[in-house]
Amino acid sequence: MQRLQKLPEYYQPRVYIVEDDEAVRDSCAMLIQSSGLSVEAFSSAEEFLRSTAADSCGCLLTDLQLTGCNGLELLKQMKSAGYRLSAILVSGSLDPTTTGCAVEEGAFAILEKPYPVQSLREAVITAIENDSQQRTCK
């Protein structure tokens, strides 16, 4: 977490979790909060899009398989609405086509379930660092 201490003081990132499985959503939120990060969790992509401003800072952690709008569609909608959050897509069933589409739509990182806890932490920290750098370079 020392890397996060190097971020500018004015930069207050939040990790936005979009996951329709309540148990998974809660465990991800607790894990990320234990790293000292602020978390906001949503049960659907639609709820996230209604509740979160396009200029929000931090990163998005979303499952590919969601009820309603899936993770890939969420990335497309965020891109067209001007969101700049670094997005991490997770899935239990990745294939080359889906992975390619996710990258095209702006996924910063893609993790396949089950993933090691350290891989998730590293992806989140790196995504936040990326988001911070993108905002300070503009």
Side-chain angles (χ1 to χ4, degrees), residues 18-55:
V18 179
E19 169 61 65
D20 56 359
D21 182 316
E22 184 178 9
V24 173
R25 186 173 61 245
D26 290 347
S27 70
C28 282
M30 287 190 312
L31 172 69
I32 292 167
Q33 287 171 330
S34 74
S35 299
L37 290 164
S38 296
V39 172
E40 195 166 340
F42 303 92
S43 61
S44 71
E46 295 86 357
E47 181 185 5
F48 167 80
L49 291 167
R50 277 192 310 272
S51 304
T52 309
D55 64 350

mmCIF file of all heavy atoms in Angstrom, residues 18-55:
data_model
loop_
_atom_site.group_PDB
_atom_site.id
_atom_site.type_symbol
_atom_site.label_atom_id
_atom_site.label_comp_id
_atom_site.label_asym_id
_atom_site.label_seq_id
_atom_site.Cartn_x
_atom_site.Cartn_y
_atom_site.Cartn_z
ATOM 1 N N VAL A 18 -18.900 -3.612 -9.282
ATOM 2 C CA VAL A 18 -20.194 -3.978 -9.871
ATOM 3 C C VAL A 18 -20.220 -5.497 -9.949
ATOM 4 O O VAL A 18 -19.483 -6.116 -10.720
ATOM 5 C CB VAL A 18 -20.395 -3.350 -11.268
ATOM 6 C CG1 VAL A 18 -21.744 -3.769 -11.846
ATOM 7 C CG2 VAL A 18 -20.286 -1.832 -11.198
ATOM 8 N N GLU A 19 -21.062 -6.092 -9.108
ATOM 9 C CA GLU A 19 -21.139 -7.551 -8.991
ATOM 10 C C GLU A 19 -22.540 -7.904 -8.516
ATOM 11 O O GLU A 19 -22.994 -7.383 -7.495
ATOM 12 C CB GLU A 19 -20.079 -8.035 -7.996
ATOM 13 C CG GLU A 19 -20.179 -9.467 -7.565
ATOM 14 C CD GLU A 19 -20.036 -10.470 -8.696
ATOM 15 O OE1 GLU A 19 -18.967 -10.551 -9.305
ATOM 16 O OE2 GLU A 19 -21.040 -11.173 -8.965
ATOM 17 N N ASP A 20 -23.231 -8.779 -9.244
ATOM 18 C CA ASP A 20 -24.599 -9.118 -8.865
ATOM 19 C C ASP A 20 -24.694 -10.206 -7.795
ATOM 20 O O ASP A 20 -25.744 -10.388 -7.199
ATOM 21 C CB ASP A 20 -25.458 -9.467 -10.083
ATOM 22 C CG ASP A 20 -24.879 -10.581 -10.929
ATOM 23 O OD1 ASP A 20 -23.795 -11.107 -10.605
ATOM 24 O OD2 ASP A 20 -25.517 -10.923 -11.937
ATOM 25 N N ASP A 21 -23.610 -10.897 -7.500
ATOM 26 C CA ASP A 21 -23.592 -11.895 -6.430
ATOM 27 C C ASP A 21 -23.210 -11.175 -5.132
ATOM 28 O O ASP A 21 -22.078 -10.719 -4.969
ATOM 29 C CB ASP A 21 -22.584 -12.994 -6.768
ATOM 30 C CG ASP A 21 -22.534 -14.093 -5.730
ATOM 31 O OD1 ASP A 21 -22.533 -13.793 -4.514
ATOM 32 O OD2 ASP A 21 -22.485 -15.266 -6.142
ATOM 33 N N GLU A 22 -24.174 -11.086 -4.222
ATOM 34 C CA GLU A 22 -23.976 -10.305 -3.006
ATOM 35 C C GLU A 22 -22.782 -10.778 -2.183
ATOM 36 O O GLU A 22 -21.991 -9.964 -1.690
ATOM 37 C CB GLU A 22 -25.243 -10.340 -2.139
ATOM 38 C CG GLU A 22 -25.149 -9.487 -0.908
ATOM 39 C CD GLU A 22 -26.425 -9.496 -0.081
ATOM 40 O OE1 GLU A 22 -27.344 -10.291 -0.366
ATOM 41 O OE2 GLU A 22 -26.492 -8.689 0.865
ATOM 42 N N ALA A 23 -22.603 -12.082 -2.038
ATOM 43 C CA ALA A 23 -21.486 -12.607 -1.246
ATOM 44 C C ALA A 23 -20.142 -12.236 -1.868
ATOM 45 O O ALA A 23 -19.205 -11.830 -1.166
ATOM 46 C CB ALA A 23 -21.611 -14.123 -1.102
ATOM 47 N N VAL A 24 -20.034 -12.349 -3.179
ATOM 48 C CA VAL A 24 -18.793 -11.989 -3.876
ATOM 49 C C VAL A 24 -18.556 -10.486 -3.765
ATOM 50 O O VAL A 24 -17.441 -10.026 -3.495
ATOM 51 C CB VAL A 24 -18.834 -12.441 -5.353
ATOM 52 C CG1 VAL A 24 -17.621 -11.932 -6.120
ATOM 53 C CG2 VAL A 24 -18.927 -13.958 -5.448
ATOM 54 N N ARG A 25 -19.610 -9.710 -3.974
ATOM 55 C CA ARG A 25 -19.519 -8.252 -3.887
ATOM 56 C C ARG A 25 -19.021 -7.831 -2.506
ATOM 57 O O ARG A 25 -18.101 -7.021 -2.379
ATOM 58 C CB ARG A 25 -20.889 -7.635 -4.183
ATOM 59 C CG ARG A 25 -20.909 -6.138 -4.261
ATOM 60 C CD ARG A 25 -22.259 -5.595 -4.720
ATOM 61 N NE ARG A 25 -23.358 -5.932 -3.835
ATOM 62 C CZ ARG A 25 -24.396 -6.711 -4.163
ATOM 63 N NH1 ARG A 25 -24.507 -7.232 -5.368
ATOM 64 N NH2 ARG A 25 -25.367 -6.949 -3.290
ATOM 65 N N ASP A 26 -19.612 -8.409 -1.454
ATOM 66 C CA ASP A 26 -19.229 -8.052 -0.087
ATOM 67 C C ASP A 26 -17.802 -8.474 0.235
ATOM 68 O O ASP A 26 -17.063 -7.727 0.879
ATOM 69 C CB ASP A 26 -20.197 -8.672 0.925
ATOM 70 C CG ASP A 26 -21.580 -8.040 0.879
ATOM 71 O OD1 ASP A 26 -21.747 -6.962 0.246
ATOM 72 O OD2 ASP A 26 -22.504 -8.626 1.472
ATOM 73 N N SER A 27 -17.391 -9.647 -0.220
ATOM 74 C CA SER A 27 -16.031 -10.095 0.083
ATOM 75 C C SER A 27 -14.998 -9.247 -0.655
ATOM 76 O O SER A 27 -13.953 -8.907 -0.091
ATOM 77 C CB SER A 27 -15.848 -11.591 -0.209
ATOM 78 O OG SER A 27 -15.868 -11.849 -1.583
ATOM 79 N N CYS A 28 -15.291 -8.868 -1.903
ATOM 80 C CA CYS A 28 -14.381 -7.971 -2.638
ATOM 81 C C CYS A 28 -14.291 -6.626 -1.940
ATOM 82 O O CYS A 28 -13.200 -6.060 -1.799
ATOM 83 C CB CYS A 28 -14.854 -7.782 -4.072
ATOM 84 S SG CYS A 28 -14.482 -9.156 -5.156
ATOM 85 N N ALA A 29 -15.426 -6.121 -1.505
ATOM 86 C CA ALA A 29 -15.441 -4.818 -0.823
ATOM 87 C C ALA A 29 -14.609 -4.876 0.457
ATOM 88 O O ALA A 29 -13.798 -3.973 0.717
ATOM 89 C CB ALA A 29 -16.878 -4.398 -0.520
ATOM 90 N N MET A 30 -14.771 -5.925 1.239
ATOM 91 C CA MET A 30 -14.006 -6.046 2.484
ATOM 92 C C MET A 30 -12.510 -6.168 2.199
ATOM 93 O O MET A 30 -11.693 -5.551 2.887
ATOM 94 C CB MET A 30 -14.498 -7.236 3.309
ATOM 95 C CG MET A 30 -15.842 -6.996 3.954
ATOM 96 S SD MET A 30 -16.363 -8.229 5.167
ATOM 97 C CE MET A 30 -16.075 -9.775 4.330
ATOM 98 N N LEU A 31 -12.152 -6.942 1.190
ATOM 99 C CA LEU A 31 -10.745 -7.108 0.831
ATOM 100 C C LEU A 31 -10.127 -5.770 0.434
ATOM 101 O O LEU A 31 -9.039 -5.399 0.894
ATOM 102 C CB LEU A 31 -10.602 -8.110 -0.311
ATOM 103 C CG LEU A 31 -9.206 -8.222 -0.899
ATOM 104 C CD1 LEU A 31 -8.258 -8.876 0.100
ATOM 105 C CD2 LEU A 31 -9.234 -9.001 -2.195
ATOM 106 N N ILE A 32 -10.812 -5.026 -0.388
ATOM 107 C CA ILE A 32 -10.278 -3.752 -0.872
ATOM 108 C C ILE A 32 -10.243 -2.717 0.251
ATOM 109 O O ILE A 32 -9.284 -1.963 0.387
ATOM 110 C CB ILE A 32 -11.073 -3.278 -2.106
ATOM 111 C CG1 ILE A 32 -10.786 -4.251 -3.266
ATOM 112 C CG2 ILE A 32 -10.730 -1.851 -2.476
ATOM 113 C CD1 ILE A 32 -11.698 -4.127 -4.439
ATOM 114 N N GLN A 33 -11.271 -2.704 1.082
ATOM 115 C CA GLN A 33 -11.275 -1.781 2.219
ATOM 116 C C GLN A 33 -10.138 -2.095 3.188
ATOM 117 O O GLN A 33 -9.572 -1.181 3.784
ATOM 118 C CB GLN A 33 -12.623 -1.828 2.942
ATOM 119 C CG GLN A 33 -13.722 -1.145 2.165
ATOM 120 C CD GLN A 33 -15.096 -1.373 2.761
ATOM 121 O OE1 GLN A 33 -15.361 -2.412 3.371
ATOM 122 N NE2 GLN A 33 -15.982 -0.412 2.568
ATOM 123 N N SER A 34 -9.783 -3.380 3.308
ATOM 124 C CA SER A 34 -8.681 -3.751 4.208
ATOM 125 C C SER A 34 -7.344 -3.214 3.705
ATOM 126 O O SER A 34 -6.377 -3.153 4.454
ATOM 127 C CB SER A 34 -8.610 -5.278 4.382
ATOM 128 O OG SER A 34 -8.085 -5.898 3.223
ATOM 129 N N SER A 35 -7.314 -2.804 2.448
ATOM 130 C CA SER A 35 -6.115 -2.196 1.878
ATOM 131 C C SER A 35 -6.115 -0.681 2.070
ATOM 132 O O SER A 35 -5.233 0.005 1.567
ATOM 133 C CB SER A 35 -6.029 -2.514 0.379
ATOM 134 O OG SER A 35 -5.948 -3.902 0.169
ATOM 135 N N GLY A 36 -7.137 -0.165 2.747
ATOM 136 C CA GLY A 36 -7.207 1.256 3.028
ATOM 137 C C GLY A 36 -7.880 2.093 1.953
ATOM 138 O O GLY A 36 -7.768 3.320 1.955
ATOM 139 N N LEU A 37 -8.576 1.444 1.036
ATOM 140 C CA LEU A 37 -9.234 2.157 -0.060
ATOM 141 C C LEU A 37 -10.723 2.311 0.202
ATOM 142 O O LEU A 37 -11.348 1.466 0.841
ATOM 143 C CB LEU A 37 -9.021 1.399 -1.371
ATOM 144 C CG LEU A 37 -7.596 1.421 -1.895
ATOM 145 C CD1 LEU A 37 -7.395 0.353 -2.956
ATOM 146 C CD2 LEU A 37 -7.258 2.784 -2.443
ATOM 147 N N SER A 38 -11.296 3.385 -0.328
ATOM 148 C CA SER A 38 -12.738 3.590 -0.258
ATOM 149 C C SER A 38 -13.406 2.754 -1.334
ATOM 150 O O SER A 38 -12.881 2.615 -2.441
ATOM 151 C CB SER A 38 -13.087 5.060 -0.510
ATOM 152 O OG SER A 38 -12.556 5.859 0.505
ATOM 153 N N VAL A 39 -14.550 2.213 -1.005
ATOM 154 C CA VAL A 39 -15.276 1.318 -1.909
ATOM 155 C C VAL A 39 -16.726 1.758 -2.000
ATOM 156 O O VAL A 39 -17.322 2.179 -1.013
ATOM 157 C CB VAL A 39 -15.218 -0.143 -1.397
ATOM 158 C CG1 VAL A 39 -16.125 -1.053 -2.196
ATOM 159 C CG2 VAL A 39 -13.793 -0.663 -1.416
ATOM 160 N N GLU A 40 -17.264 1.636 -3.198
ATOM 161 C CA GLU A 40 -18.698 1.786 -3.408
ATOM 162 C C GLU A 40 -19.124 0.590 -4.244
ATOM 163 O O GLU A 40 -18.545 0.339 -5.300
ATOM 164 C CB GLU A 40 -19.013 3.099 -4.112
ATOM 165 C CG GLU A 40 -20.468 3.474 -4.027
ATOM 166 C CD GLU A 40 -20.724 4.914 -4.417
ATOM 167 O OE1 GLU A 40 -19.798 5.735 -4.391
ATOM 168 O OE2 GLU A 40 -21.881 5.196 -4.759
ATOM 169 N N ALA A 41 -20.104 -0.158 -3.762
ATOM 170 C CA ALA A 41 -20.496 -1.402 -4.431
ATOM 171 C C ALA A 41 -21.908 -1.302 -4.992
ATOM 172 O O ALA A 41 -22.787 -0.667 -4.399
ATOM 173 C CB ALA A 41 -20.397 -2.572 -3.458
ATOM 174 N N PHE A 42 -22.092 -1.939 -6.157
ATOM 175 C CA PHE A 42 -23.368 -1.916 -6.869
ATOM 176 C C PHE A 42 -23.735 -3.328 -7.298
ATOM 177 O O PHE A 42 -22.873 -4.120 -7.659
ATOM 178 C CB PHE A 42 -23.259 -1.023 -8.118
ATOM 179 C CG PHE A 42 -22.843 0.375 -7.801
ATOM 180 C CD1 PHE A 42 -21.507 0.729 -7.811
ATOM 181 C CD2 PHE A 42 -23.780 1.335 -7.467
ATOM 182 C CE1 PHE A 42 -21.102 2.021 -7.511
ATOM 183 C CE2 PHE A 42 -23.392 2.633 -7.161
ATOM 184 C CZ PHE A 42 -22.051 2.976 -7.179
ATOM 185 N N SER A 43 -25.030 -3.607 -7.319
ATOM 186 C CA SER A 43 -25.497 -4.932 -7.714
ATOM 187 C C SER A 43 -25.745 -5.053 -9.211
ATOM 188 O O SER A 43 -25.984 -6.143 -9.711
ATOM 189 C CB SER A 43 -26.774 -5.292 -6.945
ATOM 190 O OG SER A 43 -27.798 -4.364 -7.249
ATOM 191 N N SER A 44 -25.665 -3.926 -9.938
ATOM 192 C CA SER A 44 -25.884 -3.982 -11.384
ATOM 193 C C SER A 44 -25.143 -2.844 -12.080
ATOM 194 O O SER A 44 -24.825 -1.821 -11.462
ATOM 195 C CB SER A 44 -27.380 -3.876 -11.711
ATOM 196 O OG SER A 44 -27.845 -2.557 -11.448
ATOM 197 N N ALA A 45 -24.909 -3.042 -13.359
ATOM 198 C CA ALA A 45 -24.280 -2.005 -14.176
ATOM 199 C C ALA A 45 -25.178 -0.782 -14.247
ATOM 200 O O ALA A 45 -24.701 0.361 -14.195
ATOM 201 C CB ALA A 45 -23.999 -2.552 -15.579
ATOM 202 N N GLU A 46 -26.468 -1.024 -14.361
ATOM 203 C CA GLU A 46 -27.424 0.080 -14.461
ATOM 204 C C GLU A 46 -27.382 0.952 -13.205
ATOM 205 O O GLU A 46 -27.411 2.180 -13.292
ATOM 206 C CB GLU A 46 -28.843 -0.468 -14.684
ATOM 207 C CG GLU A 46 -29.026 -1.187 -16.007
ATOM 208 C CD GLU A 46 -28.630 -2.676 -15.990
ATOM 209 O OE1 GLU A 46 -28.152 -3.183 -14.951
ATOM 210 O OE2 GLU A 46 -28.800 -3.322 -17.035
ATOM 211 N N GLU A 47 -27.311 0.323 -12.043
ATOM 212 C CA GLU A 47 -27.236 1.058 -10.773
ATOM 213 C C GLU A 47 -25.947 1.891 -10.724
ATOM 214 O O GLU A 47 -25.965 3.056 -10.324
ATOM 215 C CB GLU A 47 -27.290 0.082 -9.600
ATOM 216 C CG GLU A 47 -27.252 0.742 -8.254
ATOM 217 C CD GLU A 47 -27.181 -0.255 -7.095
ATOM 218 O OE1 GLU A 47 -27.067 -1.473 -7.327
ATOM 219 O OE2 GLU A 47 -27.220 0.221 -5.948
ATOM 220 N N PHE A 48 -24.844 1.298 -11.142
ATOM 221 C CA PHE A 48 -23.576 2.025 -11.184
ATOM 222 C C PHE A 48 -23.683 3.258 -12.084
ATOM 223 O O PHE A 48 -23.294 4.361 -11.697
ATOM 224 C CB PHE A 48 -22.449 1.108 -11.670
ATOM 225 C CG PHE A 48 -21.194 1.839 -12.046
ATOM 226 C CD1 PHE A 48 -20.306 2.270 -11.070
ATOM 227 C CD2 PHE A 48 -20.909 2.117 -13.377
ATOM 228 C CE1 PHE A 48 -19.158 2.974 -11.412
ATOM 229 C CE2 PHE A 48 -19.760 2.809 -13.725
ATOM 230 C CZ PHE A 48 -18.883 3.248 -12.745
ATOM 231 N N LEU A 49 -24.193 3.087 -13.291
ATOM 232 C CA LEU A 49 -24.281 4.186 -14.250
ATOM 233 C C LEU A 49 -25.215 5.296 -13.761
ATOM 234 O O LEU A 49 -24.958 6.478 -13.997
ATOM 235 C CB LEU A 49 -24.731 3.671 -15.618
ATOM 236 C CG LEU A 49 -23.704 2.800 -16.344
ATOM 237 C CD1 LEU A 49 -24.344 2.087 -17.527
ATOM 238 C CD2 LEU A 49 -22.494 3.614 -16.770
ATOM 239 N N ARG A 50 -26.283 4.940 -13.068
ATOM 240 C CA ARG A 50 -27.211 5.940 -12.519
ATOM 241 C C ARG A 50 -26.591 6.722 -11.368
ATOM 242 O O ARG A 50 -26.911 7.888 -11.156
ATOM 243 C CB ARG A 50 -28.487 5.273 -11.994
ATOM 244 C CG ARG A 50 -29.534 4.979 -13.010
ATOM 245 C CD ARG A 50 -30.870 4.598 -12.362
ATOM 246 N NE ARG A 50 -30.771 3.564 -11.337
ATOM 247 C CZ ARG A 50 -30.838 2.248 -11.574
ATOM 248 N NH1 ARG A 50 -31.007 1.804 -12.806
ATOM 249 N NH2 ARG A 50 -30.758 1.384 -10.602
ATOM 250 N N SER A 51 -25.701 6.071 -10.611
ATOM 251 C CA SER A 51 -25.219 6.640 -9.349
ATOM 252 C C SER A 51 -23.833 7.266 -9.391
ATOM 253 O O SER A 51 -23.433 7.921 -8.437
ATOM 254 C CB SER A 51 -25.190 5.544 -8.278
ATOM 255 O OG SER A 51 -26.455 4.950 -8.150
ATOM 256 N N THR A 52 -23.096 7.052 -10.468
ATOM 257 C CA THR A 52 -21.693 7.448 -10.494
ATOM 258 C C THR A 52 -21.429 8.420 -11.637
ATOM 259 O O THR A 52 -21.764 8.139 -12.782
ATOM 260 C CB THR A 52 -20.795 6.203 -10.644
ATOM 261 O OG1 THR A 52 -21.165 5.243 -9.650
ATOM 262 C CG2 THR A 52 -19.337 6.555 -10.464
ATOM 263 N N ALA A 53 -20.799 9.532 -11.312
ATOM 264 C CA ALA A 53 -20.492 10.555 -12.318
ATOM 265 C C ALA A 53 -19.362 10.088 -13.228
ATOM 266 O O ALA A 53 -18.468 9.361 -12.814
ATOM 267 C CB ALA A 53 -20.091 11.850 -11.628
ATOM 268 N N ALA A 54 -19.410 10.542 -14.464
ATOM 269 C CA ALA A 54 -18.396 10.160 -15.451
ATOM 270 C C ALA A 54 -17.003 10.637 -15.058
ATOM 271 O O ALA A 54 -16.012 10.038 -15.458
ATOM 272 C CB ALA A 54 -18.769 10.698 -16.829
ATOM 273 N N ASP A 55 -16.909 11.681 -14.251
ATOM 274 C CA ASP A 55 -15.593 12.183 -13.862
ATOM 275 C C ASP A 55 -15.102 11.614 -12.529
ATOM 276 O O ASP A 55 -14.125 12.102 -11.963
ATOM 277 C CB ASP A 55 -15.594 13.713 -13.823
ATOM 278 C CG ASP A 55 -16.529 14.282 -12.772
ATOM 279 O OD1 ASP A 55 -17.328 13.522 -12.180
ATOM 280 O OD2 ASP A 55 -16.475 15.502 -12.542
#
